[in-house]
Amino acid sequence: MRNGHRVFDADTHIRPSAESIRPYLSAKVLERIPDLEEHRVPITVGMAGEVRTEPYRHWYRFGRGGNSWAGKGPRYLGEAGPREGEERDFQTFMGAHFPTEGGGDFDARIRLKDMDEEGTDAHFIVHTGGAGHPDEELEMEFIKAEHRYLNDFCNADPHRLKSCITITPTAVEASIEEIKRWGPSSWAVAVHPKLPIDYPLDHPDLEPVWTAVEEHNLAVIHHSNSSGYPGYRDLWNNPFLGRLASHPWSAMRAVGAFFGGGIMDRHPGIRYGVLESGFGWLPFWAKRMDDQVVYMGYVSDDLKHKMSEHMTGGRFFTGVVLHEGEDTVRMVTDQLGDHILCFGSDYPHAESRFPGSVDLALSWDGLSHGEMEKLTWENPVRFFGEP
């Protein structure tokens, strides 16, 4: 709690190292990848930009990073091509000091200490969900191992640490089994679809997954990353444009597909939300979707509600990004209601304002006490459930 407000941070992260995941891997992985340890790469830079020193921890990598703007030779705007020998620098850390090493990987007690410093009562944790192995069966084994790891990590304090179940269309039945296994647990409060490039979120093959999600009273989140962004081919090799455009466009596409595919209509118990993708676009997108459904069509034949009604109807949520600030919160709240936005810090990534993220949001004194309470606690609780 901070200054009389309970705080549920709806957008935090974890990326377990190979050393953290190794004890949770199945015998199948160890048998089929006998050279597993040769697929480790050292973690030389932490998630907030910290320069690590030996002895390094590692991540497993198998050469399938997907399609991404992040790894290409960077071009500065106004220049014809990348500068010779230029490599992309890590982004600028936006906080006062780095989060404590270990809180985003191997020690839940460290994370809880950082939470106490920042003034957060609960974290929703987005995780990596796999290791990028090209064999779909083995990739699912890495996903299962990460769920087992999260079960132990979050149970260090199950009221404060929450996370999500990764689901994938490459293993629908296995994804449903993971929902059945972990859905009743205290830590699993949402599912996170991990889609191959060009695979639509509204694909009918995922319908059994949405049924299982609804049966277990789980939320569905969208959280994009630099691998597989829509439009990644059109960013002109510029990291600024990549980060500027890709998160919000990815979320816009996801919202349009989830609503327009009729998923919210067919599953009236599902809650859907987007994280770390901006939020000032919500009023514009609501109006544009309503108009384009009529003008263009090509949506589900069985839509029962307008797109804007799904956005404002109490089952859609969006995590704020702090740089958009109080004025944008005010605009979205005035146009769509005060029941949609959720506080999010992006801990322990470089975009967080650690340890001042909560204080920054609480400085928005144009919001009433009730509006702030909804932003920092009531809306995330309605999205993810009571901690």
Side-chain angles (χ1 to χ4, degrees), residues 286-300:
K287 291 181 182 295
R288 185 168 178 82
M289 287 190 298
D290 281 351
D291 183 75
Q292 296 298 303
V293 165
V294 177
Y295 177 59
M296 288 298 299
Y298 294 98
V299 295
S300 171

Side-chain angles (χ1 to χ4, degrees), residues 50-68:
E50 315 95 314
V51 176
R52 302 298 191 203
T53 57
E54 296 186 85
Y56 295 121
R57 296 176 77 84
H58 303 78
W59 285 316
Y60 288 123
R61 286 190 182 157
F62 296 95
R64 191 185 75 169
N67 297 289
S68 171

